[in-house]
Amino acid sequence: MINGIKNHKVLVGSFIFFAILIYSHACQVPVFRYALERWVSDKYELAIFFNGSLNEEQESLVNSIDINANIEIHKVDAGNMSGSEIAKYGDIAVPDGQILAQLNYPWSVGRGNSFINSDQPVWRGLLDHESLQQIVDSPVRKSIREKIISGESAVWVVLGRGDEDKEKLVENKLKNILRSITEKIEIPEGVVGPGELDRVASGEVDVEDVLRSTIPLKISFDVIRIDSNDPNEKIFSRLLTSFIPELNDSNLEYPLIYPVFGRGRTLNPIPASIINEEIMMKACSYICGACSCEVKRENPGIDLIMTAAWQDIISGSSVVVDKVLPPLTGVADLVSEDSDESDQFSNDETSVSKNNGNDLNKELEEGLLGQFSINWIVGIFFLVILSVISIVSFKLKKSP
C-alpha cells in the first residue's frame, strides 16, 4: 500500500509538473501583438465580370489595385463562364461597356465560421474608380492602420445608425470606460524584446515569447466613430456588418461597437445599449491577454480589408515597452460625466424599438461573452484536474 501511495505521488507530481510546464509555455505575447506580427490576413476575392475582354482603361483600373491589400482578383468573362463559375456566381448580366464586381469573403471564413455563407457576396456593383477605392481603403481604415502602427492595442469603431447625438454619447461613454480599463490591464509577464534573441539561444525563454517589431508595446485604446451617412465608408461599414446575418435582417437603432486590432482583425460587435465596464473588460482582456492559442482559425474574429505592407512595417530589432497613462482628470469629474452620459443614454434607449432589438441584444451579448473564454477555459480545466488529483491523493493518504 505504501508503494502504491508512493507511485500515486509520483504520478501526481509528474502530472502537476507537466501541467505547469505546458501552461507556463503558453505564448506570453498579447493577442493584439501576436495578431499584428504573425497572423497573415485572409484574402477577399474580388470577382470582376466583363463581356469578352477588358478594354485598356478597364485593365488599367483593375491593375491599379494596391498589391498590399488583402484582395485577390478573379476575372470572369460573363459570356463564357464555366460550369463552376455559374454555380458560384449565378447568371451575370454585364451592361455594355462596363464591368461588374463582386466582393466575396476569404474561403477560409466559411470553413471557420459555419454561420457565414462564404459564397454570399459582401458587396456587388459596378466597378469604377470610386467603388474600387472604397473597397480597397477608406479614411477610417487609414486612421485605424496609423493608430495600430503607432502601438495602439486596439481601435474601437463606433458604427453609427443615424442618430448623431446618441452616437456622440456612446463615443464619450466608451472613452471613459476604456480609460478606466487601461489602468487595470497589464502586459503579460515574460514578453521578450527582439533584441534579446541570445536568451532564446541559451534556452532561457521560448522563441514564441519574442516580439518581432519595433512598434511600441503598450496597453492603449482609441475610439473612432463612423458617420452612417459617410459615402466613403459605405463598403467598410458593410464589411463590419455583413458577417453577422442578424445585423442585415434587423432595423437597429443603436450604434454597434467593434474592436479592430492586429492587421485589421475584428470580433463580433457589442451593441451600445449593453456596454459597461464589465463587458468591455472581458473584451479588452482577451485582446490584451497572453495568446494561448496561436492558430488564427481557432481564435474568434474575422479579417477586414486593409491595405498595408505589414511585413515591412513590423521589421526591426528593438522594442519599447511602456504603458500609456490617460490625461489627469478629477475622479469627481469622471464620475459625474459618466453618470450624466449614462443617464442621458439610458433615457434615449427607452425610445428604441424592443420587438427585435432585445432578442438581437441577447444573441450578440451571448456571442460576445463566448469569444473571450479561451484563456479562462484552459485555466479552469487545469484547476479542476489539479483539484481532483489533490482529493484523490488526500484519500489515499487516509486509507489504511
Side-chain angles (χ1 to χ4, degrees):
M1 187 64 189
I2 293 176
N3 289 333
I5 293 176
K6 287 182 178 180
N7 289 335
H8 280 294
K9 285 182 177 180
V10 171
L11 290 174
V12 170
S14 300
F15 182 89
I16 293 174
F17 172 77
F18 284 111
I20 294 174
L21 187 65
I22 292 171
Y23 192 72
S24 64
H25 273 74
C27 176
Q28 296 304 300
V29 176
V31 170
F32 71 86
R33 188 54 169 264
Y34 200 96
L36 175 61
E37 296 180 341
R38 316 185 195 200
W39 286 349
V40 176
S41 299
D42 293 332
K43 289 191 175 183
Y44 284 70
E45 179 200 61
L46 184 62
I48 297 176
F49 304 96
F50 51 87
N51 290 318
S53 62
L54 296 171
N55 60 37
E56 185 176 344
E57 182 180 356
Q58 292 169 342
E59 192 74 46
S60 176
L61 174 65
V62 174
N63 292 337
S64 69
I65 296 176
D66 196 318
I67 61 173
N68 292 314
N70 52 318
I71 294 174
E72 56 185 4
I73 306 300
H74 182 54
K75 298 177 183 179
V76 181
D77 180 358
N80 190 29
M81 296 174 65
S82 66
S84 60
E85 289 174 335
I86 294 174
K88 182 174 182 177
Y89 304 116
D91 292 326
I92 303 294
V94 181
D96 290 338
Q98 296 182 317
I99 51 178
L100 293 176
Q102 177 173 305
L103 185 64
N104 295 321
Y105 283 109
W107 68 271
S108 56
V109 169
R111 293 169 60 91
N113 301 274
S114 58
F115 61 89
I116 295 178
N117 179 5
S118 57
D119 291 330
Q120 185 70 24
V122 179
W123 173 87
R124 177 187 286 177
L126 290 174
L127 188 67
D128 53 25
H129 285 284
E130 182 179 358
S131 60
L132 181 58
Q133 180 57 41
Q134 291 181 17
I135 292 171
V136 174
D137 213 346
S138 67
V140 166
R141 277 179 280 178
K142 288 178 181 177
S143 181
I144 291 172
R145 183 171 62 247
E146 291 171 358
K147 292 177 185 298
I148 288 176
I149 293 172
S150 71
E152 294 295 321
S153 307
V155 178
W156 289 87
V157 176
V158 178
L159 180 60
R161 312 299 290 185
D163 189 331
E164 186 175 358
D165 291 336
K166 184 181 295 183
E167 292 159 16
K168 287 182 178 179
L169 288 175
V170 171
E171 181 181 9
N172 291 332
K173 180 178 181 180
L174 180 60
K175 285 181 177 178
N176 284 337
I177 292 175
L178 292 174
R179 185 181 299 119
S180 174
I181 289 174
T182 300
E183 287 298 301
K184 299 175 182 177
I185 296 180
E186 296 182 354
I187 294 170
E189 295 183 2
V191 180
V192 181
E196 303 178 75
L197 292 177
D198 55 319
R199 297 177 63 191
V200 176
S202 67
E204 182 181 352
V205 298
D206 192 285
V207 69
E208 288 300 319
D209 296 333
V210 180
L211 298 176
R212 300 183 180 180
S213 73
T214 60
I215 296 172
L217 179 64
K218 57 187 178 182
I219 303 299
S220 178
F221 304 101
D222 208 337
V223 178
I224 292 181
R225 179 165 55 89
I226 297 181
D227 183 347
S228 59
N229 297 316
D230 188 347
N232 294 320
E233 304 299 339
K234 181 178 179 180
I235 293 181
F236 182 50
S237 297
R238 179 69 180 167
L239 289 171
L240 289 170
T241 58
S242 58
F243 73 99
I244 305 294
E246 293 87 349
L247 299 183
N248 297 319
D249 301 330
S250 304
N251 183 23
L252 302 178
E253 298 182 26
Y254 45 80
L256 296 169
I257 301 168
Y258 297 79
V260 181
F261 60 97
R263 302 186 184 187
R265 195 164 183 82
T266 191
L267 305 173
N268 286 6
I270 305 174
S273 55
I274 67 168
I275 63 168
N276 54 41
E277 185 163 334
E278 179 184 3
I279 287 177
M280 294 305 301
M281 176 61 83
K282 289 179 180 179
C284 292
S285 294
Y286 164 74
I287 294 170
C288 298
C291 189
S292 62
C293 182
E294 296 147 21
V295 180
K296 186 174 75 169
R297 290 179 196 165
E298 296 180 7
N299 281 270
I302 184 173
D303 291 333
L304 303 170
I305 295 177
M306 287 279 179
T307 301
W310 294 112
Q311 288 304 121
D312 294 336
I313 291 170
I314 66 174
S315 63
S317 60
S318 61
V319 68
V320 178
V321 180
D322 64 1
K323 183 166 183 173
V324 172
L325 298 179
L328 293 178
T329 308
V331 175
D333 293 338
L334 280 176
V335 173
S336 175
E337 290 174 6
D338 190 56
S339 176
D340 292 342
E341 289 167 1
S342 298
D343 291 342
Q344 186 174 352
F345 182 71
S346 297
N347 292 334
D348 288 340
E349 282 301 309
T350 58
S351 63
V352 177
S353 172
K354 297 183 179 179
N355 292 337
N356 295 324
N358 288 340
D359 292 338
L360 181 57
N361 259 4
K362 184 176 180 181
E363 291 177 11
L364 291 176
E365 183 176 5
E366 289 174 350
L368 165 74
L369 297 180
Q371 292 183 97
F372 316 113
S373 59
I374 295 175
N375 290 336
W376 303 336
I377 291 175
V378 173
I380 292 173
F381 171 77
F382 280 117
L383 181 62
V384 171
I385 294 296
L386 293 176
S387 298
V388 170
I389 292 174
S390 298
I391 293 172
V392 171
S393 299
F394 179 78
K395 289 186 176 181
L396 289 172
K397 289 180 180 180
K398 289 288 186 179
S399 60

